[in-house]
Amino acid sequence: MIVCNCNAIRERQVREAARAGCADPLSAYASLGRRPRCGQCVPYARQIIEEERAAA
């Protein structure tokens, strides 16, 4: 599933970034060499990261 249309970031990529230690969407996107553009994806990315951190 696509999380960020502007950057074509997939849910899998956000989950991997969270598992690698990224604690928020900005750091997750930075680890992928990108940054949020329109910002609509940030709440969903934050939710994914929280899920991964809770599961760890």
Side-chain angles (χ1 to χ4, degrees), residues 1-4 7-20 22 28-29 31-32 34 44-45 48-49 51-52:
M1 170 179 259
I2 297 286
V3 173
C4 175
N7 288 300
I9 296 174
R10 298 186 168 279
E11 180 178 344
R12 173 187 50 81
Q13 293 172 292
V14 175
R15 289 190 185 279
E16 289 171 357
R19 287 185 212 121
C22 296
Y29 287 24
S31 74
L32 298 168
R34 300 179 180 112
Y44 184 47
I48 293 168
I49 292 168
E51 289 172 7
E52 286 300 317

